[in-house]
């Protein structure tokens, strides 16, 4: 059994996605990768849920969120693609990243 | 449930009844994705004072059963006030 609480705390930014940052396998996961890239977030932990059904179901149960991708900052669930996109558009993302010590 | 197709009307009705949405736009994006996919805009006074994550959780909870069958789901959640501004733009 995976310890999701541990996984999401290990890195400042953690993403559960379909595919990898180098090769996203879904438009929504790709959008998250592109938004992070735009903000200069290059170093983050990305877990590919397509590799592992337990990982895919497990993270949904852990966050109580039904869809992938899922983004965590400092161990806290931020949201999926729609929320990250809106945070990008309204400026909240810059602020949240600043709190993590990441200048975008 | 599995044999029942999820329709835009069904989603609209549920959001209206269960989270008091005063305006719902549902776009069926399935044709682009070859599986049940929807994009929704939900306007509800119940979103007032709630952060984005909590609003989206309300929509997810309302459509929990449907989301098991939906392949891709996009949402935008606005208060009536935000909706008025949105329309004015």
């Amino acid at each position: 059994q995976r310890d999701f609480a541990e996984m999401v705390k290990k890195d400042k930014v953690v993403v559960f996605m379909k595919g990898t940052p180098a090769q996203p396998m879904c438009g929504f996961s790709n959008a998250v990768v592109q938004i992070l890239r735009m903000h200069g977030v290059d170093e983050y932990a990305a877990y590919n849920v397509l590799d592992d059904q337990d990982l895919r179901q497990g993270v949904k149960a852990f966050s109580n969120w039904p869809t992938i991708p899922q983004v965590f900052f400092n161990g806290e669930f931020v949201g999926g693609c729609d929320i990250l996109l809106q945070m990008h558009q309204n400026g909240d993302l810059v602020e949240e990243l600043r709190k993590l010590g990441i200048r975008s | 449930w599995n044999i029942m197709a999820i329709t835009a009307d069904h989603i609209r009705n549920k959001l209206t009844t269960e989270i008091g949405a005063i305006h719902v736009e549902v776009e069926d994006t399935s044709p682009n994705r070859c599986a049940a996919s929807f994009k929704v805009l939900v306007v509800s006074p119940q979103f007032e004072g709630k952060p984005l994550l909590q609003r989206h959780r309300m929509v997810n909870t309302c459509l929990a059963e449907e989301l098991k069958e939906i392949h891709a789901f996009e949402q935008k959640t606005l208060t009536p006030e935000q909706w008025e501004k949105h329309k004015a733009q």
Side-chain angles (χ1 to χ4, degrees):
Chain A
Q1 274 296 332
R2 280 193 179 77
D3 186 347
F4 282 97
E6 195 62 40
M7 283 170 84
V8 300
K9 269 184 216 141
K10 223 165 59 184
D11 300 271
K12 277 185 191 175
V13 178
V14 176
V15 178
F16 292 84
M17 61 180 289
K18 292 181 179 173
T20 62
Q23 196 169 11
M25 299 300 284
C26 154
F28 299 106
S29 289
N30 183 45
V32 165
V33 168
Q34 297 306 328
I35 292 168
L36 290 176
R37 186 169 296 157
M38 251 184 274
H39 288 265
V41 186
D42 300 313
E43 305 260 312
Y44 57 93
Y47 296 97
N48 184 357
V49 303
L50 296 180
D51 277 349
D52 183 340
Q53 273 304 312
D54 290 342
L55 182 70
R56 187 170 181 170
Q57 296 312 321
V59 73
K60 291 181 185 180
F62 171 71
S63 57
N64 184 29
W65 191 261
T67 51
I68 304 290
Q70 298 192 7
V71 180
F72 293 79
F73 289 167
N74 260 350
E76 239 177 272
F77 181 60
V78 174
C81 171
D82 295 328
I83 289 181
L84 202 71
L85 183 63
Q86 283 174 62
M87 287 171 69
H88 164 66
Q89 289 164 342
N90 69 19
D92 286 353
L93 185 56
V94 173
E95 181 60 21
E96 289 303 315
L97 290 173
R98 196 186 55 78
K99 286 187 203 160
L100 301 180
I102 300 169
R103 292 181 54 142
S104 59
Chain B
W1 172 252
N2 280 328
I3 54 166
M4 190 178 144
I6 300 164
T7 62
D9 276 341
H10 171 84
I11 290 175
R12 186 179 302 108
N13 291 339
K14 215 165 175 190
L15 290 167
T16 306
T17 320
E18 292 184 21
I19 57 173
I22 58 161
H23 179 80
V24 181
E25 288 174 22
V26 187
E27 188 187 334
D28 187 341
T29 53
S30 309
N32 307 332
R33 301 187 203 276
C34 55
S37 304
F38 293 94
K39 187 174 184 172
V40 300
L41 167 73
V42 190
V43 183
S44 169
Q46 291 183 26
F47 293 148
E48 215 88 56
K50 294 197 175 77
L52 204 50
L53 180 60
Q54 205 178 331
R55 295 179 189 188
H56 283 224
R57 281 203 191 280
M58 285 167 71
V59 172
N60 289 343
T61 304
C62 174
L63 299 174
E65 281 304 309
E66 290 75 7
L67 283 172
K68 289 178 192 163
E69 311 295 328
I70 293 175
H71 173 72
F73 187 66
E74 296 164 78
Q75 55 170 308
K76 194 161 194 172
T77 49
L78 302 176
T79 62
E81 194 186 336
Q82 288 173 323
W83 170 232
E84 288 306 319
K85 274 190 206 152
H86 185 91
K87 275 193 294 188
Q89 273 169 13

